[in-house]
Structure formats: structure tokens, C-alpha cells
Amino acid sequence: MLGEKLRNLFRSTGPLPTNGTGHYSPVKPPAPSARNSQSPEADRPSNGLKQFFEAVRGSRLQILDLGGACQANINFITSQGHKLYSEDFLVCMERLLSQTRDPAARATLCRQFLHETLDFPNQQFDGVLVWDTLEFLDEEILAAVVSRFQTIVKPGGALLTFFHTQSKGQSVPIFRYQIQTPDSLRLHLRFARPLPRAFNNRHLERIFSQFRSVKFFLAKDGLREVIVTR
């Protein structure tokens, strides 16, 4: 099954690798010729993705992808007549927030992080593909990011976000999500790292309490898909 395959492929207890400067670097996957049963990619159906596209129906929509620029996602979104904006949330977060643990300095870096990644006009977006980027944010930064979502997403717009169901401290795979169809994804491993904290449904409902609705889809591969409607 897909869940067992991913657990076997991506089991790791090591920290996120660094590039020698103290910043985190993604793991490079093997070349296509080396792909086999141990290849760091897999396909999976996604009820959350299906619900996302049903929620943001319309023409000439504006979508924000926080997983970084991905040609498959660009092709899919633009082929529907929509406009896609891309930001690599995790890379920016690690670049800025790994620089210091000093609370005062981190407050400044938090503002810079929001400016670099979510500095958009009010109600610009019909939907945001958040993926699995939120569970690694500090609590204060997470609250600021969710508040910014309320500002930049139109009423009735939707967020698609994923949360791992493993326990705190367990190593989890971090993926790049490529849209294949309106209800399926191809997952590419970026790296693995320990989960800093676990989120249950009640916790997520509190985080998104100012939004109109929160809907959960629990898959067998350890990913909880969440649709949040503005």
C-alpha cells in the first residue's frame, strides 16, 4: 500500500542536512535512470485536492502555491485559465529563522519572513496551496501566517494544507507536491526531519477559528489533508 511504501522509503532519524552555512538544503533525488522500487517519489489520490478545486471554481482565478515553483503545477493551473504565484515557504523560513534563537531578533525576522513570502494585496487570491509547510513554524509565526491568510484570501476562497499524523519527534518526509489531475498528486521527497509538534483536529480548528469552515480528510499514508474556507 502507498502508506507502507512511503514509510519504508523515507524512514530517517537524521536532521535536515545543511549546506555548510547553517542553512538547510534539500536532498537531491537520484537521476531518472536510477529510479526503481526505492525511488523517492510516489503517486497518491487526494480528496483534499479535489475539494480544493471544487471550492475555487470559476474563471481567471489567482492561486498561490507555497511549495515553490513547480512546472507541473504551473502547467496544470495555467491550463485551466488561472494565474499561479509561487513562493518556497520552507526554504525562506529556514534561511531566515535558522539564523538566531534570540526572541527579539526572531521577531524582526518573522516580519521579514511575512514580507518576503506573503506581501500581497488584500483579497488577491481565490485559493492557496499551502501543502505541508505550517507544522514547522513557531507558534507565534504560525499565528501571524494564518492571520495573513485571512487578509490575502478572498471571502469564499480556500486553503489546502497537509499535516502529518505521526507523533512529535518522529521523522517525517517533506515532499514537493506535483498536481497530476484534479484529484491526484505525485510526491517528490525533498528531505526528512523530526516533527516538532503534532496537530490534532481540535487544535487545527482553533488555529483556523476565524475562518468559515475546516474540513479534514485522513489518508492511510500519515497525511491529514485539510480544506479551510475563508
Side-chain angles (χ1 to χ4, degrees):
M1 296 178 64
L2 176 59
E4 185 63 27
K5 179 180 178 183
L6 291 175
R7 284 191 291 272
N8 291 336
L9 292 182
F10 306 135
R11 187 175 291 123
S12 172
T13 58
L16 191 65
T18 65
N19 58 13
T21 65
H23 299 161
Y24 292 107
S25 302
V27 175
K28 291 184 178 180
S33 60
R35 286 163 55 179
N36 50 35
S37 60
Q38 298 299 306
S39 174
E41 66 177 45
D43 294 335
R44 74 187 296 276
S46 175
N47 286 323
L49 186 67
K50 180 180 179 181
Q51 289 288 315
F52 176 81
F53 284 118
E54 290 181 355
V56 297
R57 285 177 177 171
S59 59
R60 301 179 66 82
L61 304 180
Q62 298 197 60
I63 307 296
L64 175 62
D65 185 346
L66 295 181
C70 170
Q71 194 60 51
N73 295 354
I74 293 171
N75 292 344
F76 185 89
I77 297 295
T78 57
S79 71
Q80 307 299 310
H82 309 319
K83 187 171 183 178
L84 182 68
Y85 297 76
S86 299
E87 296 288 343
D88 200 323
F89 218 53
L90 284 178
V91 167
C92 184
M93 177 189 72
E94 298 294 355
R95 176 174 57 81
L96 291 175
L97 303 183
S98 63
Q99 296 177 17
T100 179
R101 302 300 300 178
D102 177 70
R106 286 177 67 82
T108 300
L109 290 174
C110 175
R111 290 191 293 271
Q112 184 179 347
F113 172 67
L114 292 174
H115 176 74
E116 289 192 14
T117 59
L118 296 175
D119 187 23
F120 297 102
N122 292 355
Q123 300 185 14
Q124 175 169 342
F125 294 107
D126 300 277
V128 182
L129 297 166
V130 186
W131 308 121
D132 57 3
T133 61
L134 297 184
E135 58 192 351
F136 297 98
L137 299 178
D138 293 351
E139 188 168 347
E140 181 180 353
I141 299 173
L142 175 59
V145 166
V146 171
S147 178
R148 186 65 61 87
F149 286 154
Q150 290 181 270
T151 300
I152 66 174
V153 176
K154 299 175 182 178
L159 312 174
L160 172 62
T161 182
F162 295 165
F163 291 85
H164 291 86
T165 60
Q166 290 89 335
S167 301
K168 176 182 177 180
Q170 186 173 349
S171 183
V172 296
I174 309 303
F175 299 109
R176 186 178 301 281
Y177 298 89
Q178 293 188 350
I179 302 171
Q180 302 296 297
T181 69
D183 60 1
S184 68
L185 294 164
R186 175 161 293 171
L187 280 56
H188 289 262
L189 179 66
R190 302 183 71 180
F191 44 76
R193 67 179 301 180
L195 194 64
R197 52 181 168 155
F199 293 84
N200 58 37
N201 288 3
R202 183 170 297 180
H203 190 184
L204 293 174
E205 287 173 343
R206 288 199 300 269
I207 290 172
F208 295 107
S209 61
Q210 299 303 310
F211 288 75
R212 189 174 71 185
S213 66
V214 182
K215 187 174 183 180
F216 303 93
F217 301 90
L218 182 58
K220 295 181 179 179
D221 59 358
L223 280 178
R224 179 189 289 109
E225 303 184 343
V226 185
I227 290 289
V228 182
T229 304
R230 166 78 164 81

